[in-house]
Amino acid sequence: MKGIPLSMSLTRRGALKGAAAIGVGLAAPAGFVRRGFAADKPTLVTSIRSLSNPYHAAWKQGAETYAKAVGLELVTLVTEGDSEKGLADIRAILAKTGGNMVLNLDPNDSADATPIVEACAAAKVYVMSQWNKPADLHPWDHNPYYTAFVTFDGERYGAETGEALVKSIGGKGGIVALGGIISNTVAIARKAGLDKVVAAHPDVKLLDFQVADWQSTKAYDVVAAWLTRFGDEIKGVWAANDDMGVGALEALRSEGLAGKVPVTGIDGIKAAVEGVKTGEFAATVSSDPYWQGSMGLAIPYAASLGKFDPAKEPKEHREFYGQGIVVTKENVEAFYKSNIESEPKIDYDDLWGRVTGQVRPG
């Protein structure tokens, strides 16, 4: 059993106190269920924000399928949007397993990645993180345990969904935009992509932008208020993720505007893809959360088994953009059949098959 560091720098908002309270008694983190840890086998651990979000539900499904395929125990940690809880739960599971684990991490906030990665490296735990991290945190600075980081080009896909929205409203009119968590690097990048599109289309006006923290309920409230404020000036709604897009669509439905005011999102969840089919969504983008949930475990687990040495891999395999699929009315039927109606097929040995380039610095 690998040792756990006596101290761990959990710097965000008193997380050390919460972690210590859990760590002393080695209590199980709230929000996960386990059947008991095998002494000779590593535990697979995935940490995500929510199970109510269909995106993360698909992520968990992918993780479960992979765990079953390799015959290992899976623990799912849920931050519930609380960085302190996320950090404390990971400290507890490190102690509970004695470091005999592999972690797939979707940190609640960018800054959370650093103390978690440092704790894993100190405990000799292989970890892969996704979506968010500080710009100065790199896998190669924590060889070999920080195996890889994957994100999806937020600026690119924010722009592509923006272009789809502009096209759907005939290239002119007012739009409103819903952003994710304000400090989230992906949310910032997606908004930057939208801003470029708006700047390139002088007949399109961004009436307002507000964050809804990736949540459908908050998005509903924001859009309902916008409909009162702007009325028929709103020709389209851009959302930085599908869950907010679905909340926006519900607000539009309550006013009889679904299908008349198009929505865009990002994640490729079932409701959004169905919205593309019905014409209520102009576009969504799938990053394939099922792949993220499964390969986010498969890659660091392969490293832990010595199937490859992370330190010898090129940087584009350590810090990379994954492959996204823009779903519009042109390809929605084929996408629906292969990704919604049936379970996606993943080749767990194809570790780098969806690499589309090294993450740009900055």
Side-chain angles (χ1 to χ4, degrees), residues 117-150:
V117 164
E118 289 176 347
C120 287
K124 299 183 179 180
V125 166
Y126 288 84
V127 55
M128 178 165 171
S129 74
Q130 306 199 40
W131 288 121
N132 292 292
K133 70 174 184 61
D136 60 353
L137 175 66
H138 302 290
W140 46 84
D141 293 331
H142 297 277
N143 282 327
Y145 301 106
Y146 189 8
T147 310
F149 167 77
V150 60

Side-chain angles (χ1 to χ4, degrees), residues 107-245:
N108 182 61
D109 205 351
S110 178
D112 302 344
T114 298
I116 292 171
V117 164
E118 289 176 347
C120 287
K124 299 183 179 180
V125 166
Y126 288 84
V127 55
M128 178 165 171
S129 74
Q130 306 199 40
W131 288 121
N132 292 292
K133 70 174 184 61
D136 60 353
L137 175 66
H138 302 290
W140 46 84
D141 293 331
H142 297 277
N143 282 327
Y145 301 106
Y146 189 8
T147 310
F149 167 77
V150 60
T151 189
F152 293 78
D153 193 338
E155 187 170 316
R156 171 186 172 182
Y157 295 121
E160 291 200 24
T161 53
E163 287 288 357
L165 186 63
V166 169
K167 180 180 178 181
S168 72
I169 65 173
K172 61 181 179 180
I175 63 172
V176 288
L178 295 159
I181 296 172
I182 196 165
S183 60
N184 185 287
T185 55
V186 175
I188 293 167
R190 290 177 183 175
K191 174 57 164 51
L194 173 65
D195 288 341
K196 287 187 175 182
V197 170
V198 173
H201 294 274
D203 292 331
V204 174
K205 180 180 180 181
L206 181 59
L207 300 172
D208 197 13
F209 168 80
Q210 291 188 36
V211 298
D213 297 337
W214 305 121
Q215 298 176 29
S216 60
T217 53
K218 290 186 178 181
Y220 180 98
D221 292 339
V222 171
V223 174
W226 277 336
L227 291 172
T228 300
R229 178 182 172 189
F230 295 112
D232 60 8
E233 287 185 71
I234 298 175
K235 304 303 180 185
V237 181
W238 179 94
N241 81 333
D242 282 346
D243 207 36
M244 294 188 297

